[in-house]
Amino acid sequence: MRADELRRTFVRFFEERGHTVVPSAGLIPTHPTAPLFTNSGMMQFVPYFLGEEAAPYARATSVQKCVRLSGKHNDISELGRTRRHLTFFEMLGNFSFGDYFKEQAIPLAWELSTEVVGFDGDRLWVTVHDDDDEAEAIWHESVGVPMERIQRLGAENFWEMGETGPCGPSSEIHLDCGPEWGEPGGPAHGGGDRYVEFWNLVFPQYYRHPDRSLSDLPRKGIDTGAGLERWQMLLDGTRSVFETDVLAALVDEAQAVTGRRLGTDEQTDVALRILADHARTMTFLVNDGVVPSNEDRGYVLRRVIRRAVRYAHRLGVERATTPALVTKVIDVMGDAYPELRRNGDFVGMVVEREEDRFRRTLASGSALLDEAIGELDGGTLPGEVAFKLHDTFGFPLEVTSEVAAERGVEVDVEGFEAAMAEQRRRGRAGRTPGSEAEGDDAYRELLDQFGTTDFLGYAEGETDGRVLAALPRPDGTLEVFLDRTPFYAESGGQVGDTGAITTPTGRLEVLDATYALPGLHRHVARVVDGEVVTGQEAHAAIDAHRRDYVKRNHTGTHLLHWALREVLGDHVHQQGSLVAPDHLRFDFSHYGQ
Ligand code: GLY
């Protein structure tokens, strides 16, 4: 099945069942709790799960571009060595925001898998979380899956977006590809290449805090993720995702550029697959506004490009490799993602520059590395050598480690980190440390007792409500919590509202409004007059004049974004912003000064 056919079939199925079709979000997520890259379809919907914004639709479906290259979701070490892992892939999904839950999500997934796309129901296995009797009962009683093909799993059936954020138990559907692919025993005990997971139904109901604890989500829902390329592989019975239409075209291009053929030996096959995968990852990352650099996202991109160049170099390629691969990605994916065609020249230029830069030192760095490994006689490559390769020759540690591993040598990673830390320390002398984060048990209790704050500030500047708590802070101010509020809490770079809260006995000046926890508005306030007591009626009013200034600056960021794209080009993407009453800041990426 071709990728475009499967995208259409999936989305249409859910559209016919009342879901709004939502386009893929960019690979740079915008929510403050999000990890570095968009790693799943649910990420653009985080504000809805957290109750920070009202969902404009109760159910949605999408095809989301995803990158799994850092943090909790990172598939790079498996890449090219298994039949099913990729660092860039497309995720099909359906979502419910407080609408339906397990009782509908499970039968819908079964119907689409078996009746619409044609998976053989007798070869499907499902797993549910250890504690999820409910999901098991739905699979068995409503859908009819025999108990012997339902298994329970712990951590593997608990899905989390990242270190923080929405999470919950999940239930996965797997296809048994037969004994030639590995050990029997079902997905819980058998081989991962035999029982291939192709659809993860997540039941988000918790929020993961930075201290690892969990609290209930304001809005429960459904979040499912189905890897497009895996579905194609399983439906067509191919040996790996690299034989599906889009990736096969890219492997062909990798063969053309390198002059090497698949099937020559295992090392060549792995290298060609890595080139095909990385071609998409680099193209889409640059397209979405990441440029190579030495920090954060830019560094991850740099590693991807340099790793691809190194694999090509290992196959004996002495000339530029990545531009032709990028062109091919645009060629085969440009219909589904038309922005690739618009940005194509820019993407090609960024990638080519990065390859050029690395090629200038690749040969001398490789010689130094060969020499250092040659002198070792097995054992461990000193951290200082890895650091010099990084610092002087631009070899990411990952690349050095891979080359060393091919020669049976390990890298002294601790020594490398120590050399890096020392360099950073020298560069950073004089900075002051940040303040300690405060514990949040009291907030958790408020959420448990009263639920999330009713935010009315899109329509109203003033509301009447009740004081749920007024907690003193060490600096003499108060943190006030109301059942309903017109105060916008700082998020997405926009500052919180200021204003006043008045009760029958006192008056407060609100200095700031922030989220104490997702969905829980905290008013930081100073007592101007009298006192304010828990349980009192309260009148809350924002400084509407100041909010108008904030609104204008918010509009200003959109105008500035438009103007930057006019002047510098369509590659300019917002990376962050600060919207305050008296100024705005707009961060964006651009390759030049
Ligand atoms: N959010 C579901 C998944 O990524 O598997």
Side-chain angles (χ1 to χ4, degrees):
M1 195 184 259
R2 293 181 55 85
D4 49 7
E5 195 184 337
L6 184 51
R7 289 189 200 104
R8 249 197 328 270
T9 305
F10 187 98
V11 163
R12 193 185 300 135
F13 177 85
F14 285 105
E15 194 178 16
E16 285 166 1
R17 285 156 185 78
H19 293 65
T20 299
V21 183
V22 180
S24 174
L27 286 168
I28 304 180
T30 49
H31 196 269
T33 61
L36 274 190
F37 299 111
T38 299
N39 62 25
S40 53
M42 58 77 74
M43 210 163 269
Q44 64 170 317
F45 305 122
V46 169
Y48 310 152
F49 286 119
L50 296 186
E52 291 173 0
E53 281 175 39
Y57 25 71
R59 26 179 93 183
T61 182
S62 67
V63 181
Q64 173 66 54
K65 42 191 173 177
C66 295
V67 161
R68 292 200 169 174
L69 254 180
S70 59
K72 204 167 205 60
H73 298 283
N74 186 348
D75 290 340
I76 200 158
S77 55
E78 274 94 1
L79 180 65
R81 296 182 169 85
T82 70
R83 52 190 309 224
R84 61 190 196 281
H85 287 99
L86 294 166
T87 68
F88 173 94
F89 66 99
E90 292 174 87
M91 182 178 276
L92 307 160
N94 60 296
F95 308 88
S96 144
F97 313 109
D99 184 8
Y100 62 85
F101 203 44
K102 300 175 194 181
E103 75 299 335
Q104 281 193 46
I106 289 175
L108 280 173
W110 186 263
E111 185 188 341
L112 174 55
S113 307
T114 56
E115 288 169 31
V116 180
V117 301
F119 280 113
D120 174 0
D122 293 337
R123 285 167 58 202
L124 298 187
W125 290 64
V126 296
T127 52
V128 298
H129 187 258
D130 279 338
D131 302 328
D132 201 348
D133 296 343
E134 201 187 352
E136 183 183 87
I138 298 168
W139 280 118
H140 182 55
E141 285 156 28
S142 310
V143 175
V145 178
M147 283 305 282
E148 56 276 17
R149 280 192 278 119
I150 303 177
Q151 294 181 322
R152 297 219 178 196
L153 287 171
E156 282 147 316
N157 272 171
F158 191 90
W159 195 84
E160 310 201 26
M161 170 180 93
E163 296 307 325
T164 58
C167 55
S170 71
S171 178
E172 295 179 305
I173 318 180
H174 314 248
L175 178 72
D176 179 0
C177 296
E180 69 273 29
W181 285 104
E183 294 298 312
H189 310 292
D193 275 340
R194 169 165 177 175
Y195 300 95
V196 177
E197 181 261 309
F198 66 90
W199 203 346
N200 188 14
L201 316 182
V202 186
F203 315 124
Q205 60 194 75
Y206 302 114
Y207 181 81
R208 174 74 76 188
H209 296 266
D211 68 1
R212 307 292 305 142
S213 64
L214 295 172
S215 61
D216 283 342
L217 270 190
R219 301 265 186 293
K220 282 188 198 168
I222 289 294
D223 148 32
T224 85
L228 174 89
E229 301 81 354
R230 277 193 196 184
W231 278 47
Q232 288 183 272
M233 168 184 95
L234 296 175
L235 289 168
D236 290 348
T238 58
R239 295 194 65 77
S240 85
V241 287
F242 295 96
E243 288 165 39
T244 59
D245 59 345
V246 171
L247 282 157
L250 293 169
V251 171
D252 277 351
E253 186 64 26
Q255 295 187 93
V257 183
T258 59
R260 302 291 294 266
R261 306 300 306 167
L262 266 183
T264 311
D265 55 49
E266 177 66 13
Q267 276 205 349
T268 305
D269 288 3
V270 169
L272 291 171
R273 290 185 203 128
I274 286 176
L275 287 172
D277 168 87
H278 281 20
R280 297 207 300 179
T281 311
M282 65 182 81
T283 304
F284 277 89
L285 284 178
V286 178
N287 178 64
D288 280 3
V290 186
V291 283
S293 75
N294 278 335
E295 279 166 9
D296 301 331
R297 297 188 181 97
Y299 192 60
V300 177
L301 171 63
R302 171 159 283 170
R303 274 190 348 226
V304 168
I305 299 175
R306 295 190 175 197
R307 194 164 179 263
V309 173
R310 219 275 307 169
Y311 272 99
H313 180 79
R314 198 176 79 177
L315 294 179
V317 183
E318 297 289 347
R319 62 204 146 67
T321 310
T322 52
L325 289 169
V326 166
T327 304
K328 193 69 186 178
V329 173
I330 296 168
D331 194 27
V332 290
M333 297 194 77
D335 287 344
Y337 299 91
E339 69 273 20
L340 289 180
R341 296 207 202 284
R342 289 197 296 274
N343 289 339
D345 290 347
F346 172 72
V347 177
M349 184 192 73
V350 169
V351 167
E352 188 169 7
R353 272 191 186 197
E354 180 63 16
E355 171 159 359
D356 277 355
R357 200 173 294 166
F358 185 45
R359 272 196 186 281
R360 271 183 246 138
T361 56
L362 180 63
S364 33
S366 298
L368 175 92
L369 181 53
D370 281 346
E371 194 183 322
I373 292 175
E375 284 167 7
L376 280 181
D377 188 21
T380 306
L381 187 78
E384 304 88 75
V385 177
F387 179 70
K388 182 166 183 205
L389 280 163
H390 169 88
D391 204 40
T392 313
F393 298 98
F395 276 51
L397 177 66
E398 204 170 54
V399 168
T400 302
S401 301
E402 276 174 0
V403 179
E406 282 158 15
R407 309 269 297 269
V409 169
E410 274 183 36
V411 176
D412 171 14
V413 176
E414 270 178 34
F416 173 85
E417 304 285 1
M420 281 287 273
E422 174 57 21
Q423 192 195 46
R424 261 190 238 118
R425 194 192 58 71
R426 285 196 302 267
R428 203 178 36 203
R431 284 204 204 153
T432 47
S435 62
E436 288 284 304
E438 290 175 21
D440 51 20
D441 288 352
Y443 309 139
R444 216 71 70 70
E445 272 173 36
L446 280 169
L447 259 191
D448 288 347
Q449 206 176 339
F450 301 108
T452 53
T453 317
D454 209 357
F455 173 61
L456 303 169
Y458 288 126
E460 322 270 347
E462 303 191 17
T463 58
D464 290 313
R466 199 159 60 88
V467 178
L468 304 179
L471 312 173
R473 290 159 58 110
D475 63 0
T477 58
L478 288 176
E479 293 192 2
V480 180
F481 296 86
L482 303 174
D483 58 348
R484 50 220 310 262
T485 186
F487 283 81
Y488 183 86
E490 178 191 334
S491 66
Q494 179 165 323
V495 297
D497 280 322
T498 61
I501 296 175
T502 319
T503 74
T505 57
R507 185 174 158 75
L508 304 176
E509 181 191 356
V510 177
L511 308 168
D512 196 7
T514 54
Y515 283 109
L517 290 176
L520 184 66
H521 287 238
R522 161 176 50 200
H523 309 81
V524 179
R526 185 175 71 83
V527 182
V528 179
D529 202 15
E531 59 169 1
V532 165
V533 186
T534 299
Q536 281 186 313
E537 298 293 318
H539 182 77
I542 63 164
D543 178 343
H545 189 60
R546 177 177 176 276
R547 167 84 79 81
D548 284 342
Y549 277 97
V550 172
K551 279 192 198 162
R552 289 185 198 112
N553 275 340
H554 180 109
T555 304
T557 60
H558 290 288
L559 296 175
L560 183 54
H561 193 180
W562 172 83
L564 285 165
R565 291 171 78 113
E566 281 292 296
V567 175
L568 299 176
D570 281 345
H571 61 278
V572 170
H573 285 271
Q574 178 170 348
Q575 303 274 321
S577 71
L578 171 70
V579 180
D582 57 342
H583 73 290
L584 66 88
R585 197 194 72 223
F586 186 86
D587 305 337
F588 64 98
S589 54
H590 178 60
Y591 51 88
Q593 295 202 339

